[in-house]
Amino acid sequence: MNPTLKLATVVLIAFEVSFAQVLSVNLALIAISLVLLLVHRIHWKTLLWLTGVPLFFASALVWSLALRGSASPHFLWVIFTRMFVYVYLGATFTQTTVPLDLARSLEQNAKLPSKFAYGFLAAFNLLPKIRAEVDTVRAAAMMRGQVLHFWSPQLYFKVILAAMNWSDQLADAMVSHGFVEDAPRTYAVSIPLHRRDWLYFGISLLLVQIGLFTGLP
C-alpha cells in the first residue's frame, strides 16, 4: 500500500476509535494488527515490548477509573483495548513502512514541501546518533564521578546542543549537494499511487464504519 495512504488510514482509524465506544471494533483492530505484525515477522522481543508498555499504562488508567466508581465495566474495557489499538496500529505502520519511501511519498503524493519531507528523514536517521551521544555523555559524566539518570536534565541539555550542531552541518551538506528550497526537482525513485491503493484505503475505512455503526457494543 502507498505509504501516504497507509499513514492516512492509520491516523483516521485511530481518530475515529478515539470517539467511539465499540469494544468489538477495538478487538478486531487489535487482532488484524497482530496478524499483520506476525506476517511481517516482527521480532518477539519487539512484540513483547509493544504489549508490555501499553499493558502497564492501560491497567493503571483502568484501575484509577475503577477506583472512582464512575465508569461502567464496558467503558473500562473500551479504554483498556483502545490503548492497544493505538500502539498496534502505529507498530503496524512503522514495521511495514520504509522511512525513505515514506519521505518520498509525502513529497510526491501528498505534495509536502521538500524541506519538511527531508527534514523528517534526517531526524529519523539521527536517532541512532542521538542514542550514541546519550551513552557518550553518560560515560563522560561517570568518569567525573557523576551519575546521569534518564531523567537528568543535564543529560538531555548536552544532547540537544549536539543535535543543534548536527542540524547546521546537515543543512550545509544538503546545500553543498545542490538542494535548493522551493526549486523544481526531479525524482530518482518515483512512488506510484495505484488504484488498488485507493481501493485498500476505501475498504479499510468502510469496514471500520460498518463496525462502528452496526457492530456489537
Side-chain angles (χ1 to χ4, degrees):
M1 188 175 181
N2 182 273
T4 297
L5 286 184
K6 190 190 303 183
L7 177 62
T9 302
V10 170
V11 172
L12 289 175
I13 291 176
F15 181 78
E16 285 195 289
V17 169
S18 301
F19 296 95
Q21 297 185 21
V22 184
L23 181 60
S24 58
V25 172
N26 289 357
L27 295 175
L29 290 173
I30 291 173
I32 294 172
S33 300
L34 280 174
V35 170
L36 292 175
L37 289 173
L38 293 175
V39 167
H40 285 84
R41 298 180 180 180
I42 185 174
H43 196 277
W44 65 271
K45 289 184 178 180
T46 304
L47 184 58
L48 287 178
W49 178 260
L50 292 173
T51 303
V53 173
L55 178 62
F56 172 78
F57 288 103
S59 300
L61 178 60
V62 169
W63 180 255
S64 63
L65 292 175
L67 290 179
R68 294 179 58 184
S70 58
S72 64
H74 174 264
F75 180 75
L76 294 178
W77 277 110
V78 169
I79 294 297
F80 183 82
T81 55
R82 186 181 293 169
M83 186 76 69
F84 286 91
V85 171
Y86 294 150
V87 174
Y88 285 160
L89 280 179
T92 301
F93 174 76
T94 57
Q95 294 294 320
T96 61
T97 307
V98 179
L100 181 57
D101 291 342
L102 175 61
R104 287 170 171 164
S105 178
L106 289 174
E107 180 187 12
Q108 299 174 28
N109 305 134
K111 306 305 179 183
L112 190 70
S114 300
K115 59 182 179 180
F116 292 110
Y118 289 99
F120 154 78
L121 185 62
F124 181 83
N125 289 331
L126 278 177
L127 287 178
K129 195 171 183 179
I130 291 176
R131 295 193 188 99
E133 184 67 18
V134 169
D135 294 336
T136 300
V137 173
R138 183 175 292 174
M142 291 183 65
M143 294 178 65
R144 300 192 303 270
Q146 182 182 9
V147 178
L148 295 180
H149 301 283
F150 69 90
W151 60 80
S152 301
Q154 303 95 321
L155 177 62
Y156 299 102
F157 178 73
K158 295 178 180 179
V159 174
I160 289 174
L161 291 179
M164 292 175 63
N165 185 38
W166 296 335
S167 65
D168 293 336
Q169 295 176 358
L170 180 61
D172 293 339
M174 292 179 67
V175 172
S176 65
H177 281 75
F179 180 84
V180 179
E181 187 175 343
D182 298 327
R185 298 175 54 84
T186 57
Y187 307 118
V189 177
S190 297
I191 304 297
L193 192 57
H194 300 292
R195 289 185 179 179
R196 66 172 180 271
D197 296 322
W198 287 106
L199 183 62
Y200 295 152
F201 175 75
I203 291 177
S204 300
L205 293 183
L206 179 61
L207 291 177
V208 172
Q209 309 312 311
I210 294 175
L212 291 177
F213 290 101
T214 65
L216 297 176

